[in-house]
Amino acid sequence: MTRRINAAHAAALAAGALMVLSGCGGSGTAAEPKATGAALLGQKLTDMVGAVDKMGIIEWQGQMLTKSPDKGGRRILSLETRFSPALGYSEISMDTVLDGNAQQIDYLVVNDRTYFNSEQWGPSANDCWADITGDEDYTWALPRVLDPAWALTEGRAVSADGEDVTVSLGFKDVLAGLPKGLFTTVPTLPYDTEAVAVIEPHGRLIEVGIDVAGMWSKLPKEQKASLDKRVGYWAMTMKESPDDDSIAPPKHVFDPLVTPPSQCKR
């Protein structure tokens, strides 16, 4: 699976532009710190993308919060996920208290098919899956883009603070990376609408925080009012999974409307 590194490329181009400008008048010495800064900015992000690329199975967690955790944001939805970059397969467990409704759903995504397992079926049906591909009512918690590296590869590098890198993400990339059922409607947006994200490496763990609500700051008040107020801040972590078992296709696929879950293995 090939990942595009937009942010790193942008920073590298910025560095090149600054170096060219330094040779076209003015002091090359004065321009050097800026060029070095842009190059280092791109390198920091490139290194993080490289670290993710080396992971056999990526274990990632995503949480939608009402606002930044630093400001006491409350959890709306959580995803616990294992993703295989080599195969494109995902194991996903969703837990939510959205609108006061407690829900837990397990998904398995294999070869562009989506399967569903319910804890209500009981432990005897742990290996039993129903095919729900294309069913919006069941697949609402799945992101359209399941590779968690999208926040690193689709961003435009803005600044760095130590090892941390701040990027801007286009609103279409953000929406594609979030559970698709979080937004009931999305208003018409200017093409350059972006969200600010901070990417922080912590040893083998990479942390991403995205100000989703901040994307709407330039919209007229009437458009802001139409947005779902439940969506505020997306917090995500990525690391190499300590469980290196391959993500496998479902063992038993059945139609729960026809076959009782207790008999699905037959």
Side-chain angles (χ1 to χ4, degrees):
M1 180 172 295
T2 301
R3 295 191 174 103
R4 290 181 292 136
I5 313 176
N6 293 349
H9 289 170
L13 288 172
L18 286 166
M19 290 174 183
V20 169
L21 288 172
S22 69
C24 299
S27 170
T29 304
E32 186 177 352
K34 291 185 179 180
T36 302
L40 288 176
L41 177 60
Q43 188 60 50
K44 289 177 188 295
L45 204 53
T46 300
D47 290 345
M48 284 190 276
V49 172
V52 175
D53 283 341
K54 291 177 182 177
M55 297 179 185
I57 299 288
I58 302 173
E59 187 172 285
W60 66 273
Q61 180 191 63
Q63 285 193 334
M64 181 57 74
L65 309 171
T66 53
K67 54 187 174 181
S68 167
D70 296 336
K71 298 178 181 178
R74 292 180 292 103
R75 182 180 68 88
I76 296 171
L77 176 144
S78 294
L79 296 179
E80 298 279 350
T81 301
R82 294 175 74 240
F83 172 74
S84 169
L87 298 174
Y89 296 175
S90 288
E91 294 174 338
I92 302 168
S93 180
M94 184 277 293
D95 180 49
T96 182
V97 289
L98 196 63
D99 297 333
N101 261 337
Q103 279 191 73
Q104 193 276 325
I105 299 174
D106 291 324
Y107 296 108
L108 183 59
V109 183
V110 173
N111 292 330
D112 297 323
R113 306 297 298 179
T114 302
Y115 304 91
F116 158 82
N117 176 280
S118 172
E119 62 179 2
Q120 297 178 358
W121 295 346
S124 64
N126 281 348
D127 296 328
C128 300
W129 299 85
D131 191 329
I132 55 170
T133 306
D135 188 328
E136 294 295 324
D137 289 337
Y138 280 99
T139 61
W140 69 269
L142 286 176
R144 290 179 174 84
V145 174
L146 294 174
D147 183 344
W150 61 270
L152 284 70
T153 58
E154 302 303 321
R156 176 174 58 84
V158 175
S159 62
D161 181 5
E163 294 302 310
D164 304 345
V165 178
T166 297
V167 304
S168 285
L169 289 160
F171 77 92
K172 290 184 179 179
D173 294 318
V174 175
L175 295 183
L178 300 181
K180 54 191 174 186
L182 282 174
F183 289 97
T184 52
T185 58
V186 178
T188 302
L189 299 168
Y191 74 94
D192 57 350
T193 300
E194 294 181 321
V196 174
V198 178
I199 304 172
E200 305 176 31
H202 301 284
R204 297 182 179 179
L205 183 76
I206 295 176
E207 183 177 344
V208 179
I210 302 172
D211 179 14
V212 180
M215 289 196 302
W216 321 128
S217 60
K218 295 181 181 180
L219 292 178
K221 288 183 179 179
E222 59 272 17
Q223 283 191 311
K224 286 183 186 179
S226 69
L227 289 167
D228 193 334
K229 299 299 183 184
R230 300 172 301 180
V231 180
Y233 188 93
W234 182 247
M236 183 164 62
T237 59
M238 287 170 273
K239 66 179 181 180
E240 183 162 24
S241 177
D243 178 4
D244 60 0
D245 290 342
S246 297
I247 299 173
K251 289 185 178 179
H252 305 281
V253 180
F254 77 113
D255 184 346
L257 298 178
V258 176
T259 305
S262 60
Q263 300 179 24
C264 67
K265 296 179 183 179
R266 297 183 182 180

